[in-house]
């Protein structure tokens, strides 16, 4: 392989590695030009260890990009062992205080900067208009484009004020899908005007807030992309995002190992070529990466440069945008680390309408102050989660209840992260059961004269879940705690229905406090 072309290809790639210490091959690739690595839960043990790992990467090359999915809420890598101390976007959206959203994201960014992370693959700014969306849900600020736009801009401002580049996702909008792009290629079959009114206002907001990165969606939008995903569409990445919406930062793909991209292209290597040709600048290879896979993808890019599928100028442009991003992260991290007064600097606002085409929802978004505010208290996330809890019905007669957590599978984006009320209970008995194995009569017998608190995520979607809840409620005092995306479903006969808008550690604590079950 031509060494110069190989290095050019490497400059567009975000790889990953196993374990809590970067292996030799991961460091060697950084030294040879690899744009950077993405950290996942398996790379995280404790903050000092993460800081040591990122320092090793910077020793290999000072401007290496280190990315992570730290959305708060249900998607966390730093707190994957316990659950996030912050509520996610759905909770922040229902509180609807953009200043709070900016503070929460600034706090997340401060923690990331402290351990050497330079790019946060957040916020998720999809407008979740499909109640049964299997992959976005509580990761979204809501179903209203104007509200999502306001909070999207605030989140970007908060992260970048902390010296960490924000990556808004998933362009042009994953919120209307009922399929998971990790597993297949979802389709959003609507006219462009619907996208402009429903899905795109948050992306206009993050462009106005100077987001440094925008991530593509592996979704099919036939009117723009034909049969291919948006990640492979020049009409989406160049004509729409850059020309119409004026984005000048780096375009990053969602993981190319996802079936929404890899199957459509015939493999990760071909997917990389398609994405670069369409206008992407940074290619997230995925989570399951080794040296051989990186070399395979680089070789495919070099082959495409040789046979004319890719123009050298296009890949040079992509590499330069990646380098510009890396340079910004170094400067911003240094500026954010400067000592400042405890009082945050005054914000200014810019109208989202400055970049939203006529006729769309508008709002105002906070703009990052010139310097970061002092770190916020640890209780910020928990206080925010409490503000998000909504109660329908009466929370009475909950002395010594039996808490029953109905287990559900995590999405691939969430991973296996603890959730529920368990860590926060004051000695209250809790059972963790699978709905398919649950017996309503046995649960009533175990509860005896005690009320039952049923806790779940997406209860209306669990096979047998609604029937179990209503069977219990028909003959027993039952309170339901819904920790997933709220739906219109309300089971008959329950005493109260509590919605937390997320299942993070903070959301669980907030629910337990509202129920009076904490110590």
């Amino acid at each position: 392989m031509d060494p110069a072309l190989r290095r050019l290809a490497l400059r567009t790639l975000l790889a990953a590695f196993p374990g809590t210490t970067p292996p030799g091959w991961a460091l060697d690739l950084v030294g040879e030009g690899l744009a950077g690595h993405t950290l996942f839960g398996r790379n995280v043990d404790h903050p000092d260890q993460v800081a040591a790992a990122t320092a090793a990467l910077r020793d290999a090359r000072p401007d290496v990009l280190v990315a992570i999915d730290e959305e708060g809420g249900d998607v966390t890598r730093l707190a994957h062992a316990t659950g996030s101390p912050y509520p996610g976007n759905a909770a922040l959206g229902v509180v609807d205080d953009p200043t709070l959203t900016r503070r929460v994201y600034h706090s997340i960014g401060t923690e990331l900067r402290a351990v050497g992370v330079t790019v946060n693959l957040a916020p998720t700014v999809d407008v979740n208009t499909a109640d049964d969306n299997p992959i976005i849900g509580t990761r979204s600020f809501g179903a209203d484009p104007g509200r999502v736009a306001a909070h999207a801009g605030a989140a970007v401002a908060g992260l970048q004020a902390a010296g960490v580049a924000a990556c808004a996702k998933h362009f042009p909008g994953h919120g209307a899908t009922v399929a998971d792009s990790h597993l297949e290629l979802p389709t959003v079959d609507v006219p462009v005007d619907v996208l402009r009114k429903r899905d795109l206002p948050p992306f206009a907001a993050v462009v106005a807030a100077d987001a440094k990165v925008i991530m593509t969606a592996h979704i099919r939008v036939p009117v723009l992309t034909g049969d291919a995903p948006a990640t492979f569409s020049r009409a989406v990445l160049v004509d729409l995002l850059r020309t119409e919406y004026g984005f000048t930062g780096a375009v990053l793909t969602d993981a190319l190992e996802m079936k929404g991209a890899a199957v459509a292209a015939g493999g990760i290597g071909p997917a990389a070529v398609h994405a670069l040709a369409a206008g992407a600048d940074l290619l997230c290879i995925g989570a399951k990466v080794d040296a051989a896979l990186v070399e395979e993808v680089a070789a495919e890019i070099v082959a495409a440069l040789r046979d004319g599928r890719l123009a050298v100028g296009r890949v040079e442009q992509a590499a330069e945008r990646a380098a510009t991003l890396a340079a910004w992260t170094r400067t911003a991290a240094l500026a954010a680390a400067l000592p400042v007064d405890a009082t945050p600097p005054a914000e200014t606002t810019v109208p989202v309408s400055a970049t939203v085409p006529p006729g769309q929802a508008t709002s105002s978004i906070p703009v990052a102050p010139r310097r970061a505010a002092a770190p916020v208290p640890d209780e910020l996330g928990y206080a925010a989660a409490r503000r998000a809890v909504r109660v329908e019905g009466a929370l009475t007669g909950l002395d010594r209840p039996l808490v029953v957590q109905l287990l559900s599978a995590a999405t691939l984006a969430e991973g296996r992260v603890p959730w529920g009320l368990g860590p926060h209970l004051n000695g209250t008995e809790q059972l963790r059961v699978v709905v398919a194995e649950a017996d309503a009569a046995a649960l009533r017998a175990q509860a005896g004269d005690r009320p039952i608190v049923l806790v779940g995520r997406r209860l209306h979607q669990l096979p047998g879940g609604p029937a179990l809840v209503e069977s219990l409620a028909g003959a027993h005092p039952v309170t339901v705690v819904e920790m997933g995306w709220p739906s219109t479903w309300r089971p008959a006969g329950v005493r109260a229905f509590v919605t937390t808008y997320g299942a993070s550690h903070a959301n669980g604590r907030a629910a337990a406090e509202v129920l009076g079950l904490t110590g």
Side-chain angles (χ1 to χ4, degrees):
M1 199 187 314
D2 183 314
L5 292 181
R6 174 180 175 273
R7 184 175 183 85
L8 178 61
L10 288 175
R11 289 172 61 195
T12 68
L13 302 183
L14 274 183
F17 56 84
T20 55
T21 302
W25 63 263
L27 298 174
D28 290 343
L29 284 169
V30 170
E32 293 162 9
L34 183 79
H37 287 284
T38 301
L39 302 183
F40 293 88
R42 65 174 181 270
N43 304 122
V44 175
D45 186 12
H46 56 83
D48 289 345
Q49 165 268 316
V50 178
T54 61
L57 293 172
R58 286 193 303 277
D59 285 343
R61 200 183 71 247
D63 66 345
V64 62
L65 295 172
V66 182
I68 199 168
D69 285 277
E70 193 60 39
E71 299 178 12
D74 296 356
V75 178
T76 178
R77 306 297 184 238
L78 290 185
H80 70 95
T82 59
S84 177
Y86 302 98
N89 288 355
L92 294 172
V94 77
V95 173
D96 198 19
D97 179 352
T99 298
L100 174 65
T101 296
R102 187 183 68 81
R103 291 182 66 208
V104 166
Y105 272 88
H106 183 271
S107 186
I108 292 173
T110 300
E111 292 184 14
L112 293 178
R113 190 187 76 241
V115 296
V117 172
T118 61
V119 180
N120 191 9
L121 305 181
T124 294
V125 303
D126 304 296
V127 181
N128 199 79
T129 51
D131 278 350
D132 290 339
N133 192 316
I135 193 61
I136 303 302
T138 57
R139 301 166 68 194
S140 168
F141 288 112
D144 176 75
R147 178 175 296 192
V148 176
H151 289 272
V156 167
L159 278 173
Q160 295 188 169
V164 174
C167 174
K169 56 191 185 186
H170 308 79
F171 191 79
H174 211 313
T177 64
V178 291
D180 183 350
S181 52
H182 291 84
L183 307 174
E184 59 185 293
L185 178 60
T187 296
V188 178
D189 194 2
V190 296
V192 175
D193 285 349
V194 171
L195 291 178
R196 289 195 177 100
K197 293 176 182 178
R198 183 189 67 188
D199 300 291
L200 293 173
F203 291 100
V206 299
V207 170
D210 196 28
K212 300 303 173 184
V213 191
I214 288 179
M215 180 183 286
T216 68
H218 302 325
I219 62 168
R220 176 176 170 264
V221 185
V223 69
L224 293 173
T225 72
D227 292 329
T231 300
F232 302 161
S233 171
R234 188 171 179 84
V236 169
L237 303 189
V238 176
D239 298 344
L240 187 60
L241 180 57
R242 293 208 181 275
T243 303
E244 183 171 342
Y245 282 84
F247 180 60
T248 59
V251 174
L252 169 66
T253 70
D254 208 344
L256 295 178
E257 70 182 5
M258 293 165 59
K259 291 185 178 179
V263 171
I268 297 175
V273 171
H274 284 299
L276 282 170
D281 306 305
L282 277 166
L283 311 175
C284 178
I285 300 176
K288 298 177 181 178
V289 181
D290 56 19
L293 179 57
V294 177
E295 295 295 353
E296 176 187 326
V297 174
E300 186 73 24
I301 294 171
V302 170
L305 289 168
R306 289 186 173 280
D307 66 23
R309 285 176 290 156
L310 276 175
V312 172
R314 166 77 274 271
V315 184
E316 288 175 337
Q317 180 189 55
E320 184 58 33
R321 286 184 179 141
T324 299
L325 171 64
W328 181 90
T329 63
R330 295 187 71 193
T331 302
L334 289 171
L338 291 174
V340 295
D341 294 335
T343 303
E347 289 180 348
T348 57
T349 59
V350 295
V352 175
S353 55
T355 54
V356 178
Q360 296 181 25
T362 62
S363 184
S364 291
I365 57 175
V367 176
R370 294 183 61 188
R371 289 186 179 182
V376 294
D378 292 339
E379 287 295 304
L380 171 66
Y382 295 104
R386 285 192 292 273
R387 290 177 63 183
V389 176
R390 298 293 183 268
V391 178
E392 301 169 45
L395 295 178
T396 57
L398 285 177
D399 184 45
R400 301 180 303 105
L402 173 66
V403 176
V404 179
Q405 181 174 340
L406 301 179
L407 302 181
S408 58
T411 68
L412 288 173
E414 294 163 352
R416 294 184 178 181
V417 177
W419 64 279
L421 274 57
H424 316 287
L425 297 176
N426 56 357
T428 301
E429 183 182 4
Q430 177 179 253
L431 300 178
R432 300 172 76 245
V433 301
V434 177
V435 173
E437 301 171 2
D439 180 83
L443 290 173
R444 286 195 298 267
Q446 180 146 353
D449 62 353
R450 296 176 295 167
I452 293 175
V453 175
L454 283 174
V455 182
R457 294 194 296 186
R458 302 177 290 273
L459 282 167
H460 70 289
Q461 291 180 280
L462 294 180
L468 174 65
V469 176
E470 293 185 354
S471 175
L472 286 169
H476 206 90
V478 170
T479 293
V480 171
V481 178
E482 172 59 71
M483 302 190 78
W485 180 258
S487 72
T488 56
W489 172 73
R490 294 294 182 269
V494 300
R495 298 289 182 87
F497 194 93
V498 178
T499 308
T500 63
Y501 294 86
S504 73
H505 194 271
N507 295 127
R509 180 166 138 182
E513 288 178 351
V514 167
L515 295 168
L517 302 180
T518 55

